[in-house]
Amino acid sequence: MWGWTLVLAALACIIMMIWPRWRVEQPLVSVVLHLAIAAPFVALASRFIVNDTSILHVALNGGEDLPLKYRFAATWAAREGPLLMWAAWMGLVAWWFGRPLASEMDKTHQLRLRLMHGFTLLLLLIAMTLDPFAENPLGLKGVGLNELLQTDLMVIHPPLIFLAYSLCIALAATGLAILQYDDDAEIDKRMLHQTRPGILIATLGIGLGGLWAYMVLDWGGYWAWDPVETGSFLPWLALVLMGHLRTRPGKASTLMWAGLGMAAGVLALFATLVTRAGGVWATSVHTFVIPAEGAPPTNAFDRMMLLRDRVEGVEIVSYVILISLLCGVFIRAAQGTTRRPFTNLFFIPIIGALIAVLFDYSTYAYAPALFFVIMVIAPTLVDRPKFGPKDESLWSYRGFLYMPWLFIVPLVANILTEDLFFVLLNALIFTPLYSTLDTRDAWGWSAAGVMMCLASAWSGLVELHVAAIMLGFYILPWLVMGEEETESKPWLTRKNLIQVTLWAPVILTTLYIILTLVILVSSIDAIQFNAHELYGAPFIMAMALSLFTYTSRKQSPKQIVSVVFGIAFASVLFAILIPSALGGDASEPISEFLSRGTIAWLVLPSVLVALVPVGSEVFNRVKSSGFSKIAPAAHLVHFGLLLLLVGHVFTTVLVDRGDATHRITLVRGEMVEVDGYGYVFEDIVLESDGLEVGDGYVGAIISVYSGDEKIGEVEPGLIRFDGSSNPPRSEVDTLVRYHGDIVFIFDGSQTTGLMQQVSADGTDSVQRMRVIIYDLPGSHLVWAGWALMMVGMAWLTVLDARKIPHPRSEEE
C-alpha cells in the first residue's frame, strides 16, 4: 500500500512537468501535487515512528526502543530515506519559487520548473529501484539506527544539508533555462533571490554539523576537513561566490551568472556523491552505509564506477551523468552559443557518460578519452568557429598555429593522467579561455587554470611534470604575446583600490573552490588537513586584507597600501622567525620546514587588523541607513566570518588532534598539571539503567584547578553498545572558561579493561585512567562568529524577500 505513494509522487512530477503553469493558474491543484511529492517521505517517516517492522527498511534501521525523535531521524539514516527527503525538499523549493522570477519570460519559467520537477522525478525513480517499502520477508531484523547517530543533531543537520542542496539544484535549473532561451533580463535579481536563502540554510546546516562534531563526537573540535565536511563546503563556496558576483566592477556576463548557478548544482551533486559513494573516500568518518573493500583504484571516478554493479550503483551513475550533462551544456555555451545550448547536444554528455561508465576501466583504458571526444569535440564539430581574429592586436587560441586546441588540451590531460576528473576540469576551464577573441582579456580563466595545475601538483593528484605541461597551455598567450600594452596611468588611486577589493571576493573564492575541490579529490586515501590549511592560508590573508582595504577606503591610498604590505610582510616574518610563539601545538611540524605556527601567523595578523574597520563599517552603515539596506547586513556577515577565523586558528590550526601529548594519564587523588591547569581524577561512574541511548555508561569525574582554586568539575565518558560492531561512543564534556573551552574526551582504548575491572573489583579499584584534553582558547569566537553570520544572512534574505519579483510578458 505504501509503495503507491511513490507512484503518485512520480505521476505528480510528470503532471507538473507537462503543465508547469498550474503553479500560477491552478494554485490549489498545485499545492495538492506538491504535497503528493512529499507523500513517500511522510509515509516512510510514519512507518519508522510506529516501528512498522513489516517493512524491511524499518526493521533494519529502526527500533521500538528508540526515543521518538530517533525513530524519526532513522528515516534518513540509510540510503532510501534521504532520497525521499530530498524529493520532498525539492517539491517545497519548486513550490516556493514556482512563480515567475524577476522579468522571467513564460517559456523560461516553464523550463525552469520542468527541470526541477525532472530532477525530483529522477530521485523518486532511484528510490523505486531501492524499494523503500519492501516487505520484510522472514521477520529479518537489523542492528537499528547506528548508535553514533543517536543524537539530537542527527534530527536537524542532515535535513538542512539536503534543503541547501535543493536550493543549489534550483539555481542550476534557473541557469539552464536562462541559457536555453537567452533570457537574461535582471538575471542578477533572479539568481540572488535563490542564492541568499541557499547560503543561509547551507551555513546553518554546516554550522550545526560542526556543533555536532564539537559537542558529541570525539573530534575535539568543530572541523577536521573530513571528506564529507569538505564536500558540503564546496556548494557553500559557490553560493558565496554568486552572492558577490554583482558587486564586482563591470557587468558579469550571462554565461558567468548561469554557469555559476550550474556550478552550485554540480558541486551539490558532487558533495552528495562524496557522502553516498561510501568507500570511495575511505578515510571519511561518515562512511556509515558502504564499507571500503579490497584494493580500490587510485582515482575517485574509477572507484565510483566500481559501485555501478551494486544496488547503489544506479544512484551513483545517475549523479555522474547529471554532472556530465551540466558540464557539457556549459562547454557548449562557453563556445559562444549561449542561446539554446541543448540544441543537438542535449544527449551528448549523457551518451558519453553512459559509454564511459559501461566500460570496465581496468580493461578499456580508452573509455575516458572516448567520453571526452563525444562531450568536448562534438560541439566543436557541430559549430566550428572561424580561425583567429582579424585584428592583429588580438590573440586567440583559435588562430594560433591553426591547431585544434580545444581537442588537444583535454586529450593531453587524458594521455598524461587517465584521470577523468582532471581531464574534465581542464576541459571546463580551457573552453571559455579558448572561445574568447582576445585570450588575454580572459585572464580570470587563465588564473583558474594555473590554480588548478598548482593545486593538482601540491595535493599529489598529478605528478609535477604533468602539472607543468598543463600549466603551459594556460599561460601560452602571455608567453607568445607578452603583456598587453596599456596607457600608463597612476595606479595608486582610491578608485583602483576599491576596484581591486571588489574583484577580490570573486577571484579569491573562485581560486579557493578549485583548490579545495582538487585537494578533496586527491584525498581518497588520506585526509590532507595540512594541505587545506597551508594552501588556503594565503587566500584567507588576501581576503582579510581586501576587507581592510575596502572598509578603510576613506583613508589615504598610500597609507592603506603601506598597512597592507606591512601586515603581509610581518605575517611572513613572524611565520619564519617565531612560528611557535602562539602556543598550543604551534611547534608541531607539517613538513620539513613548516609548522602549524607558520600557518597561524600567515592568517592571524591580517584577520585581526581587518576586524576593527569591518566592525566600524557595520556600525556606521546601520547608523546612517538603518536596517533597510543590504550593505550593513553583508558587512555583518564579513565581521562574523573574521571572528570565526580567529577562533579557527586557535581551535583547529594550532591543535594537533593526533598528538599524544594531549593524552593524559591521571592517578586517583593526585593532581597532574598541564599547561597551567591542575587535573585530579576523583572517581569512576558506572551506569547501566535509565540510559536514553546504549547499554552501559562509564565516566570519570575530574576536578579542574587553576592554581589552588577549583574552577570546575567534568565527567567525560563512554557509552557502550552490547552486541554491536560499533565502538563505544564518546560522551564529551566541556569546561567553559572566559577565554574558551577545555574539552575532555574519555580515552576509548581503556574501556574494556575498565569495565572488567569495575565489574570484578568495584569502582574503587580503578586508580588510574586516561583522558584526552584539548585547551581551545578562542573557541567562543567560532560560535559567536557563526551566529553573527547567520544573523547577517537572515537579514539579507528578509530584505531580498521584500523585493517582489515581477514577471515580464512574452512580448517583452
Side-chain angles (χ1 to χ4, degrees):
M1 177 185 72
W2 301 106
W4 280 102
T5 59
L6 280 168
V7 177
L8 292 174
L11 288 175
C13 285
I14 294 171
I15 291 171
M16 288 188 288
M17 290 175 68
I18 298 173
W19 295 290
R21 287 182 57 84
W22 279 9
R23 171 65 180 88
V24 178
E25 297 174 350
Q26 301 288 339
L28 183 58
V29 175
S30 175
V31 168
V32 172
L33 292 172
H34 284 87
L35 288 175
I37 292 176
F41 173 71
V42 174
L44 185 62
S46 71
R47 298 302 88 203
F48 271 95
I49 289 174
V50 300
N51 194 40
D52 183 358
T53 55
S54 66
I55 294 176
L56 179 62
H57 184 46
V58 176
L60 295 177
N61 298 283
E64 62 181 355
D65 295 331
L66 289 173
L68 181 62
K69 57 186 176 182
Y70 297 151
R71 291 190 199 179
F72 180 54
T75 309
W76 51 82
R79 185 165 293 277
E80 297 87 339
L83 286 168
L84 299 183
M85 177 172 64
W86 199 357
W89 280 135
M90 284 298 304
L92 174 64
V93 171
W95 180 83
W96 186 262
F97 294 110
R99 295 186 178 277
L101 301 175
S103 300
E104 186 176 44
M105 293 192 303
D106 181 64
K107 57 185 178 182
T108 311
H109 170 228
Q110 292 190 56
L111 178 59
R112 174 171 62 84
L113 293 181
R114 283 179 175 133
L115 291 170
M116 293 177 68
H117 295 313
F119 178 74
T120 308
L121 178 61
L122 174 64
L123 293 176
L124 292 170
L125 293 175
I126 295 172
M128 286 181 182
T129 66
L130 299 173
D131 197 3
F133 297 102
E135 294 183 0
N136 192 353
L138 301 172
L140 298 176
K141 186 177 181 181
V143 296
L145 178 62
N146 188 309
E147 294 88 354
L148 301 178
L149 299 178
Q150 294 182 33
T151 69
D152 292 345
L153 285 167
M154 174 62 180
V155 185
I156 307 171
H157 167 66
L160 287 174
I161 292 296
F162 275 104
L163 176 56
Y165 291 170
S166 298
L167 290 162
C168 289
I169 297 297
L171 278 168
T174 303
L176 284 167
I178 287 171
L179 287 180
Q180 178 68 5
Y181 294 119
D182 197 22
D183 177 23
D184 60 355
E186 297 190 284
I187 187 174
D188 55 341
K189 292 183 179 180
R190 291 189 224 171
M191 304 303 281
L192 291 175
H193 187 62
Q194 297 168 300
T195 298
R196 284 168 177 154
I199 193 172
L200 171 65
I201 298 299
T203 306
L204 178 59
I206 293 174
L208 289 175
L211 188 63
W212 190 351
Y214 188 75
M215 299 298 294
V216 178
L217 302 179
D218 58 359
W219 291 7
Y222 77 101
W223 193 263
W225 292 109
D226 179 83
V228 172
E229 281 184 328
T230 311
S232 65
F233 186 47
L234 285 167
W236 184 87
L237 286 171
L239 294 170
V240 168
L241 176 55
M242 182 168 290
H244 288 86
L245 198 57
R246 189 165 63 178
T247 62
R248 49 148 272 190
K251 182 181 179 181
S253 67
T254 298
L255 180 64
M256 182 64 71
W257 279 107
L260 191 52
M262 290 190 293
V266 165
L267 293 174
L269 290 168
F270 184 77
T272 308
L273 269 179
V274 174
T275 307
R276 308 282 283 176
V280 173
W281 277 265
T283 55
S284 175
V285 300
H286 292 78
T287 304
F288 294 116
V289 181
I290 310 167
E293 298 175 358
T298 57
N299 68 78
F301 185 82
D302 284 359
R303 287 194 184 183
M304 290 179 189
M305 293 305 100
L306 291 179
L307 302 175
R308 69 183 187 274
D309 296 327
R310 301 183 184 180
V311 66
E312 66 272 11
V314 173
E315 182 181 3
I316 302 305
V317 173
S318 296
Y319 296 151
V320 171
I321 292 176
L322 278 177
I323 290 172
S324 303
L325 172 61
L326 289 167
C327 292
V329 171
F330 176 79
I331 288 172
R332 171 62 173 164
Q335 292 178 52
T337 305
T338 56
R339 184 177 177 84
R340 298 185 182 274
F342 295 165
T343 306
N344 300 323
L345 296 171
F346 188 87
F347 294 103
I348 285 178
I350 296 180
I351 296 171
L354 284 172
I355 293 175
V357 300
L358 289 176
F359 284 108
D360 184 351
Y361 281 14
S362 63
T363 306
Y364 299 93
Y366 58 82
L370 180 60
F371 170 82
F372 276 94
V373 165
I374 294 175
M375 193 180 78
V376 178
I377 305 309
T380 307
L381 298 177
V382 171
D383 185 23
R384 185 182 302 172
K386 296 180 179 179
F387 282 107
K390 296 180 180 179
D391 189 343
E392 294 183 357
S393 66
L394 305 179
W395 194 95
S396 172
Y397 284 96
R398 295 182 178 185
F400 184 62
L401 300 179
Y402 294 93
M403 298 280 285
W405 294 102
L406 189 56
F407 170 76
I408 291 173
V409 171
L411 179 62
V412 170
N414 185 72
I415 292 173
L416 292 175
T417 66
E418 292 189 2
D419 188 319
L420 186 60
F421 168 79
F422 187 70
V423 179
L424 176 59
L425 203 52
N426 274 280
L428 287 171
I429 295 175
F430 187 77
T431 301
L433 194 63
Y434 161 84
S435 302
T436 56
L437 290 177
D438 190 351
T439 305
R440 288 173 298 177
D441 288 340
W443 55 267
W445 290 105
S446 180
V450 170
M451 183 74 256
M452 182 264 300
C453 295
L454 292 176
S456 299
W458 293 337
S459 64
L461 183 67
V462 301
E463 298 292 334
L464 183 61
H465 71 277
V466 174
I469 292 171
M470 299 307 301
L471 188 147
F473 289 119
Y474 295 98
I475 63 173
L476 184 61
W478 290 269
L479 293 176
V480 175
M481 295 290 291
E483 291 291 337
E484 186 177 3
E485 294 184 4
T486 57
E487 183 180 351
S488 178
K489 296 181 179 180
W491 66 272
L492 191 53
T493 64
R494 183 173 285 105
K495 179 180 178 181
N496 286 345
L497 282 181
I498 292 176
Q499 286 186 330
V500 169
T501 59
L502 292 177
W503 267 108
V506 175
I507 298 300
L508 293 174
T509 308
T510 301
L511 298 181
Y512 192 60
I513 287 174
I514 295 171
L515 173 70
T516 306
L517 179 60
V518 170
I519 295 176
L520 171 61
V521 171
S522 66
S523 302
I524 54 177
D525 289 319
I527 297 173
Q528 300 192 45
F529 169 88
N530 296 336
H532 283 289
E533 295 289 347
L534 176 60
Y535 300 137
F539 291 93
I540 297 175
M541 177 196 290
M543 181 274 296
L545 291 177
S546 67
L547 283 173
F548 168 81
T549 300
Y550 181 80
T551 52
S552 304
R553 60 192 177 277
K554 294 181 181 179
Q555 305 300 320
S556 165
K558 290 184 178 180
Q559 291 178 339
I560 295 173
V561 171
S562 297
V563 172
V564 167
F565 280 98
I567 292 299
F569 177 76
S571 296
V572 175
L573 190 64
F574 292 157
I576 296 173
L577 298 179
I578 51 172
S580 302
L582 292 172
D585 298 324
S587 59
E588 288 296 318
I590 60 172
S591 70
E592 185 178 356
F593 303 105
L594 304 174
S595 68
R596 289 175 174 266
T598 306
I599 303 174
W601 274 119
L602 292 177
V603 173
L604 196 58
S606 56
V607 173
L608 289 174
V609 166
L611 266 172
V612 173
V614 173
S616 178
E617 182 80 10
V618 176
F619 178 79
N620 292 332
R621 293 272 189 166
V622 172
K623 185 177 179 181
S624 62
S625 58
F627 297 94
S628 61
K629 300 294 183 182
I630 285 178
H635 287 295
L636 182 61
V637 176
H638 298 155
F639 184 76
L641 178 59
L642 292 173
L643 280 181
L644 190 152
L645 289 172
V646 174
H648 179 82
V649 168
F650 289 103
T651 62
T652 304
V653 177
L654 291 174
V655 178
D656 183 359
R657 290 182 170 81
D659 189 353
T661 60
H662 293 291
R663 195 183 303 268
I664 310 299
T665 298
L666 301 179
V667 179
R668 185 187 289 262
E670 296 183 9
M671 181 178 293
V672 176
E673 294 188 5
V674 180
D675 296 331
Y677 291 95
Y679 305 103
V680 179
F681 166 38
E682 304 285 1
D683 200 2
I684 284 287
V685 177
L686 193 65
E687 296 179 13
S688 57
D689 299 325
L691 298 175
E692 183 182 48
V693 176
D695 301 294
Y697 167 81
V698 58
I701 298 176
I702 301 171
S703 296
V704 185
Y705 292 83
S706 178
D708 296 329
E709 179 187 0
K710 182 177 178 179
I711 59 175
E713 189 174 273
V714 294
E715 187 183 320
L718 284 168
I719 296 178
R720 77 172 194 273
F721 305 98
D722 296 341
S724 172
S725 60
N726 289 319
R729 190 181 84 188
S730 290
E731 290 294 291
V732 178
D733 203 357
T734 302
L735 180 64
V736 179
R737 299 283 287 157
Y738 67 91
H739 72 282
D741 297 333
I742 306 176
V743 177
F744 296 80
I745 303 172
F746 197 96
D747 184 356
S749 62
Q750 64 193 327
T751 306
T752 302
L754 280 177
M755 291 285 189
Q756 294 174 350
Q757 184 176 352
V758 170
S759 299
D761 303 321
T763 58
D764 291 339
S765 66
V766 179
Q767 296 297 311
R768 190 182 298 265
M769 57 86 62
R770 291 186 304 275
V771 64
I772 302 169
I773 301 175
Y774 298 115
D775 186 9
L776 304 177
S779 59
H780 303 332
L781 297 178
V782 171
W783 307 115
W786 174 57
L788 287 176
M789 290 175 67
M790 292 298 306
V791 171
M793 291 171 183
W795 185 354
L796 284 169
T797 304
V798 170
L799 289 177
D800 184 81
R802 290 179 177 178
K803 301 174 182 178
I804 302 174
H806 299 285
R808 74 167 186 254
S809 66
E810 192 70 32
E811 290 76 14
E812 292 178 326

